[in-house]
Amino acid sequence: MKRSIVKILGIAADVLMFVIMLLQMLYVFMGNTLHEILGICFFACLVFHLVLKRKWIKALLTGKLRKAGKAQKLAAVITCLLLGCTAVLMFSSMGVSRTIFPWFKLLGSADLHRYLASAVFGLMAVHGCMYGYVRAKRKKRAAVLTVLAGVACVSFGLFGVPYLNRHFRTVDISYAAAVTGEKAEWKGSEPLVVYFTRVGNTDLEPDVDAVSGASLLLADGELMGSNRLLADMLTDIIGCEAKAVTVTGKKYPSGYGATVSVAIDELRDKARPEIVPIDVSGYENIILVYPLWWGTVPPAVSTFLESNDFTGKTVYLIATQGSYGFGSSTEDVKESAPGARVVEVMSIYCDDIPDSRDTLLDWVKRR
Ligand SMILES: Cc1cc2nc3c(=O)[nH]c(=O)nc-3n(C[C@H](O)[C@H](O)[C@H](O)COP(=O)(O)O)c2cc1C
């Protein structure tokens, strides 16, 4: 093959590796299977890169690099460090793999995997820039760029990725401490709490990890939807009944990103997934607890609303979200439940859900 073509392929593989690594950091938006497949593509590119750089490896192994200049020596040290970290990352990738290498049990720590990925990402940037530096004419500028690229990439891995993933973690709570406590009298006819939550409507594995399960709660070690927790708080405070909106037939995918994609399609198509029927005919007051999905109620909640007659009833809205407010959910509930008096009660930020009992209690007392 012509040298120029090999050179172009080499550069393409290097750029591809960097892009793949960046995408790998955005794991939560891609889901596990694609992450694992891209991981294999990354290591295939690496093998190709190493084959192209075989002369350099030979020079390193035979000690010829001893004659090289300071910058080249430093670049070689960075490269060796990068290779070492990447090798460990490869084993840790297999260790945390759930789809392609589930049988591989070594180095299965997700934290180790994440820290190694950040280190590799940063070292890749420095490695690339170092070789740019060796060839650069304006050394000072190249040195500053090299340091900046390394710091930016490591910082992105260490701080940017956790920030992007801030809602994508499981939170351990004590069920009794979160749910049980002071009671309050509900003035008027006893309400029915109706709630929707991902757990129960999603194909989640019982040992779902923090990354695939956005904003999931482990109540005494058991997976629990955060809106279910709010419903349980309300039933404990008021002493009323709660019913879950449960889809039948299909379930939502376990990955957060995948559910988000399905949800946007459903909302665009105005889908009304089939649900286990909930009869509200015996109630004047319904407390509806739901997560915002794309700024409105999940389609299954619309199914629930549209399959009942809410004329003369009051629907109290308790929304949960990863941003703020009710989005367009209030208007959408009014449209799906004509004849109902719809009252916005509170919108709770997802991280605040486990500590919301007092706020709910206060509302029941005040109303
Ligand atoms: C499909 C989907 C869409 C979402 N859309 C929004 C949104 O538009 N705005 C927002 O603030 N939060 C959004 N969220 C975050 C959820 O509202 C929030 O995490 C909620 O607390 C999840 O409750 P759950 O764990 O009981 O299902 C979305 C979550 C999912 C799964």
Side-chain angles (χ1 to χ4, degrees), residues 54-201:
R54 58 190 180 281
K55 277 190 190 154
W56 180 88
I57 296 172
K58 200 174 162 194
L60 177 80
L61 294 176
T62 51
K64 278 188 189 154
L65 283 185
R66 245 180 265 140
K67 289 179 207 144
K70 268 187 192 162
Q72 267 175 315
K73 278 185 183 153
L74 182 62
V77 171
I78 303 273
T79 306
C80 291
L81 204 59
L82 174 58
L83 271 175
C85 287
T86 313
V88 187
L89 178 66
M90 187 177 80
F91 288 110
S92 98
S93 305
M94 290 167 73
V96 295
S97 160
R98 280 186 284 136
T99 310
I100 301 178
F101 304 101
W103 42 267
F104 192 87
K105 299 288 175 214
L106 264 181
L107 296 178
S109 154
D111 281 340
L112 174 72
H113 185 65
R114 276 192 281 266
Y115 287 127
L116 273 171
S118 300
V120 167
F121 190 53
L123 284 168
M124 275 174 79
V126 176
H127 169 76
C129 289
M130 275 304 291
Y131 282 95
Y133 174 82
V134 169
R135 287 180 183 85
K137 288 202 178 88
R138 296 165 77 176
K139 296 285 184 204
K140 256 192 188 165
R141 211 172 72 169
V144 172
L145 269 179
T146 304
V147 172
L148 281 182
V151 170
C153 290
V154 173
S155 309
F156 175 71
L158 288 180
F159 308 111
V161 174
Y163 179 76
L164 286 172
N165 295 348
R166 64 198 184 284
H167 303 311
F168 298 77
R169 60 200 169 88
T170 34
V171 177
D172 264 300
I173 56 153
S174 151
Y175 181 81
V179 168
T180 56
E182 191 184 336
K183 319 291 177 211
E185 193 193 335
W186 177 272
K187 294 168 207 95
S189 143
E190 189 175 283
L192 172 70
V193 176
V194 177
Y195 67 93
F196 178 90
T197 188
R198 278 179 75 217
V199 180
N201 286 309

Side-chain angles (χ1 to χ4, degrees), residues 197-198 215 226-227 256 260 263 291-295 320-323 350:
T197 188
R198 278 179 75 217
S215 65
S226 42
N227 282 264
Y256 183 83
V260 168
L292 282 189
W293 274 21
W294 289 97
T320 67
Q321 30 70 21
S323 50
C350 50

Side-chain angles (χ1 to χ4, degrees), residues 1-7 9 48:
M1 212 188 297
K2 268 190 177 172
R3 275 189 113 194
S4 57
I5 298 178
V6 174
K7 204 172 170 189
L9 283 177
F48 182 62

